[in-house]
Amino acid sequence: MNVRGPARRGVLTAAAAGAAVVAAAPAARAAGSGDSGGTGRAGSWSTSWATAQTAPTPTDAVASAGLTDGVVSATVRLSAGGGVRLRYGNAFGSVPVLIGPVTAGGRAVTFGGRRQAWLAAGASLISDPVGGLRVPEGSALTVETRLPGPTGPLSFHRNTHASHSVDGVRTASVFLLTGVEVSGAYGPSVAVLGDSITEGVGTPDDADLRWPDQLARRLPGSAVANLGVSGNRLLLDDARFGPGGQARFDRDVLALPGLGTVLVQLGVNDLQQPPSQTDPARVLAGFRQLVLRARSAGLRIIGSTVTPFEGWTRWTPELDEVRQQVNRAVRTGRLFDAVADFDAALRDPARPSRLLPALDSGDGLHPNPSGHAALAAAVDRRTLL
């Protein structure tokens, strides 16, 4: 991994619904390598779209049963453009899955020159560069994958807040496909490790108003990978909401090519989901482990403060005090290389334990599209360059 120049020291401020303070410290920036199949940063690939996988539960009928001679189609919103290759994952599978034939943007996809390939249990599978395909930044790409099967249970992302299909039937889930990599990114390459707020809860389906989408539009040429999982925690795993942020960091973040920065938006579910985490030191220790692992991989790491959630069904004043303690340490402890103050971006100045009503989707926890815009604005672009 090639290490690039350090970020500048300083205290930077970005305006959102409220002030969002960003404190930057030196960190290395990394670039991955590979056969580019196109222009952009020579010999490099970056993740223009991504999703994080979980294992199916019995209530996930298609994913738990698997498919035989099925076709799954995913239409994904890219950030950066350029030449294209695909990444599939079988993180929670127990048997190999035969992939293909596959098309991307209507063009044939190959794997080592062949139209089909085996995706091993627990592994990932990367395609060849897709011949003749170049995509503009910000465009939508449709990937159609035939699964001869029987596949067994499928690793998937339950709700991407976008429309896809299984055998022509609409679904919000994406099966096996985990990334679209491009060769033409010329801006920052960022992975966002988050929960439902990053995933897009509170925004309409197919509107592409999730805050990572809005961040990408603020940064021309950037590759932004949304690794948000609804219900995800930093510390604990969950059968439905997947491995916690610490457990999935290597697979979901460090495996991405060309990555320069990881932004962490986790913590609120550690507080509000039973069993609630009421020791701020445990949360901060979890953050510290992510920082060490990111820096060891040559990545810059940006933390975010935990957003208000008064009005949510499990909010209590005691949990809000834990949130405030975590946020004070994140803001002042020089733990991360930079801090995006999401709490300041969303809170109601008249009642800081809750979201500003104009930014609240209505449940007290998840921001609406305007709130997602405020989060995107709270990330100072200078910390990503």
Side-chain angles (χ1 to χ4, degrees):
M1 184 168 286
N2 299 320
V3 179
R4 303 183 69 179
R8 294 179 295 175
R9 286 190 183 273
V11 177
L12 308 173
T13 303
V21 180
V22 183
R29 188 175 180 184
S33 61
D35 177 11
S36 70
T39 59
R41 289 175 294 183
S44 70
W45 290 96
S46 299
T47 303
S48 182
W49 173 88
T51 196
Q53 294 184 328
T54 58
T57 66
T59 60
D60 301 306
V62 173
S64 59
L67 295 170
T68 298
D69 196 26
V71 176
V72 294
S73 180
T75 298
V76 302
R77 180 65 60 184
L78 305 179
S79 47
V84 170
R85 69 181 186 183
L86 307 180
R87 179 186 293 260
Y88 289 85
N90 193 13
F92 302 95
S94 58
V95 296
V97 177
L98 184 60
I99 302 290
V102 177
T103 62
R107 295 181 179 271
V109 178
T110 59
F111 305 85
R114 298 178 179 272
R115 292 299 309 278
Q116 291 183 312
W118 285 97
L119 170 59
S124 61
L125 174 69
I126 299 173
S127 78
D128 303 327
V130 182
L133 179 62
R134 292 192 61 80
V135 293
E137 61 184 77
S139 61
L141 177 70
T142 297
V143 177
E144 189 171 277
T145 305
R146 181 169 291 278
L147 300 173
T151 63
L154 293 166
S155 302
F156 79 132
H157 188 105
R158 184 172 291 108
N159 188 358
T160 65
H161 304 279
S163 295
H164 316 288
S165 68
V166 178
D167 292 334
V169 178
R170 194 256 182 201
T171 178
S173 301
V174 169
F175 302 87
L176 299 181
L177 183 70
T178 60
V180 176
E181 299 171 3
V182 299
S183 60
Y186 56 89
S189 182
V190 183
V192 183
L193 184 73
D195 54 34
S196 59
I197 295 174
T198 291
E199 185 192 67
V201 174
T203 67
D205 285 1
D206 301 313
D208 301 314
L209 293 175
R210 299 159 289 233
W211 74 261
D213 297 321
Q214 299 197 54
L215 176 64
R217 289 194 286 272
R218 291 181 54 228
L219 302 168
S222 63
V224 179
N226 185 334
L227 303 172
V229 176
S230 187
N232 205 229
R233 297 174 179 244
L234 171 69
L235 300 176
L236 298 180
D237 300 345
D238 185 274
R240 182 166 181 82
F241 304 133
Q246 291 188 105
R248 67 187 181 99
F249 189 77
D250 290 11
R251 179 184 67 246
D252 288 350
V253 175
L254 297 187
L256 299 183
L259 191 61
T261 303
V262 54
L263 195 157
V264 178
Q265 181 275 305
L266 289 170
V268 69
N269 291 325
D270 294 82
L271 304 184
Q272 66 88 19
Q273 283 181 189
S276 294
Q277 179 54 251
T278 58
D279 181 0
R282 289 284 303 277
V283 177
L284 293 169
F287 284 149
R288 190 169 293 109
Q289 286 301 309
L290 296 187
V291 170
L292 291 171
R293 288 155 70 186
R295 289 176 176 166
S296 294
L299 303 179
R300 179 185 295 110
I301 182 165
I302 299 174
S304 65
T305 48
V306 181
T307 53
F309 63 102
E310 182 181 358
W312 181 251
T313 181
R314 288 187 287 270
W315 181 88
T316 67
E318 292 76 19
L319 291 179
D320 195 67
E321 175 55 30
V322 177
R323 183 182 72 87
Q324 297 285 9
Q325 290 181 53
V326 170
N327 285 351
R328 284 194 290 270
V330 167
R331 289 188 183 106
T332 63
R334 307 296 287 174
L335 176 62
F336 294 97
D337 296 322
V339 175
D341 198 338
F342 285 177
D343 171 39
L346 295 183
R347 70 187 177 213
D348 184 349
R351 192 165 180 170
S353 58
R354 72 176 184 183
L355 300 175
L356 188 71
L359 304 180
D360 188 351
S361 68
D363 64 12
L365 174 62
H366 300 101
N368 62 19
S370 296
H372 279 260
L375 294 179
V379 182
D380 193 306
R381 67 186 307 274
R382 290 172 292 179
T383 65
L384 303 176
L385 301 175

